[in-house]
Amino acid sequence: MPDAPRIPETLNQTLDLIEATVDERDAERPAYSLLVEGQVAEGADLARLELSSSRVLRCSFLASDFSNTTFENVAFEQCDFSNSDFSSSYFLRCSFSSCRFVGADFSDAVFKHVAACDSTLQYATFSRGGFDTCSFDSCDFSQASISEAELKRFEITRSRFTNVDLFRTSLRDVDLSDNDITGFLVSDTMHEFHGCIMDPYQAASVARKLGIVVKE
C-alpha cells in the first residue's frame, strides 16, 4: 500500500494558490505547509509549481497549466482539475479523494506512493507515465489512455477500466478481477495482459478476442 502524505497539523491557510506561491515559483523553490481551500480558477498558470506538505480542499482549477510540477506529501480532496495539463509532473506520497480529472493530461508524469479513491479520470492521458506503489479504489478510468506506461505495484479495485488504451503497457501482476474491463485497446497479440490476474469471465472475454472458442 502507498505511504500516506506526511502533512503537519498546523498549516498556513490561503484562498489563492497562485498568489501564495508566486515568490517560490519565481525563485524555483518549493512552497510548504499550505491549506488551500475553495479556490475557483480557469486557465491558471501554475507550471513548475513545487508544493509540499499541504492540503488542497474543494478547489476547482479547470483547463489550467500544472506542467512540470512537483507535489510531495499533498492531499487533494473534492477538487476539480478537468482538462488541466499535468504533463511531466511528479507526485510523491499524494492522495486524491473525490477529485475530477476529466480530460486531464498526465503524459510523462510519475506517480510514487499515490492513493486515489472515488475519483473520475475519464478521458485522461497517462501515456509514457510511471506508477510505483499506487492504489486506485472506486475510480473511473473509462476512455483513458495509459499507453506505453510502466506499472509497478499497481493496485486497482472496484473501478471502471472500460475502453482504456493500454497499448504497450504491461499489466503483469495487476489484479483486474474486481474491476469492469469491458473494451480495451491493446496490441494484436494482447501481450499487455500477460501475467495479469482476471476472474474467469474476464479471461474468457479476452480469450474470445484472441479467436479462442470458449466452451460454456
Side-chain angles (χ1 to χ4, degrees):
M1 290 293 293
D3 293 339
R6 302 166 186 171
I7 302 172
E9 292 186 7
T10 302
L11 299 171
N12 300 309
Q13 188 165 8
T14 179
L15 299 177
D16 193 326
L17 179 62
I18 303 168
E19 290 296 324
T21 60
V22 63
D23 292 338
E24 284 80 2
R25 284 183 286 125
D26 287 344
E28 297 184 351
R29 65 173 183 261
Y32 290 95
S33 303
L34 295 180
L35 171 60
V36 189
E37 187 170 6
Q39 183 173 3
V40 177
E42 186 168 355
D45 183 1
L46 284 156
R48 301 187 183 280
L49 167 70
E50 296 181 54
L51 184 62
S52 182
S53 304
S54 299
R55 294 187 182 277
V56 183
L57 310 179
R58 293 177 289 280
C59 291
S60 176
F61 288 93
L62 303 181
S64 296
D65 187 359
F66 289 91
S67 60
N68 296 285
T69 50
T70 298
F71 296 101
E72 184 174 346
N73 295 307
V74 180
F76 299 87
E77 298 178 31
Q78 300 178 43
C79 293
D80 192 345
F81 294 97
S82 295
N83 296 315
S84 290
D85 181 3
F86 288 90
S87 58
S88 300
S89 291
Y90 180 76
F91 299 84
L92 175 63
R93 286 189 301 275
C94 293
S95 65
F96 300 95
S97 177
S98 301
C99 292
R100 289 176 58 83
F101 295 95
V102 177
D105 183 0
F106 291 96
S107 300
D108 301 293
V110 174
F111 301 83
K112 292 187 176 182
H113 287 275
V114 169
C117 66
D118 299 313
S119 294
T120 302
L121 303 112
Q122 289 177 299
Y123 301 99
T125 299
F126 300 89
S127 299
R128 301 175 304 280
F131 296 84
D132 188 349
T133 317
C134 296
S135 100
F136 296 88
D137 179 61
S138 302
C139 292
D140 187 353
F141 280 90
S142 55
Q143 306 288 342
S145 175
I146 315 179
S147 61
E148 300 182 284
E150 185 175 6
L151 312 182
K152 294 181 179 179
R153 293 172 287 277
F154 182 91
E155 297 181 359
I156 182 166
T157 53
R158 297 180 294 182
S159 296
R160 292 190 66 194
F161 217 55
T162 59
N163 298 301
V164 176
D165 180 357
L166 296 164
F167 185 66
R168 293 185 177 176
T169 295
S170 173
L171 294 167
R172 178 180 290 275
D173 298 325
V174 176
D175 189 344
L176 298 171
S177 61
D178 193 29
N179 305 280
D180 181 357
I181 62 168
T182 306
F184 43 79
L185 177 62
V186 293
S187 60
D188 291 342
T189 61
M190 296 190 182
H191 69 270
E192 291 86 354
F193 288 115
H194 183 73
C196 75
I197 301 166
M198 296 182 179
D199 67 27
Y201 300 101
Q202 292 170 330
S205 176
V206 171
R208 291 188 186 98
K209 291 182 182 296
L210 284 169
I212 298 171
V213 177
V214 180
K215 188 174 181 179
E216 300 293 343

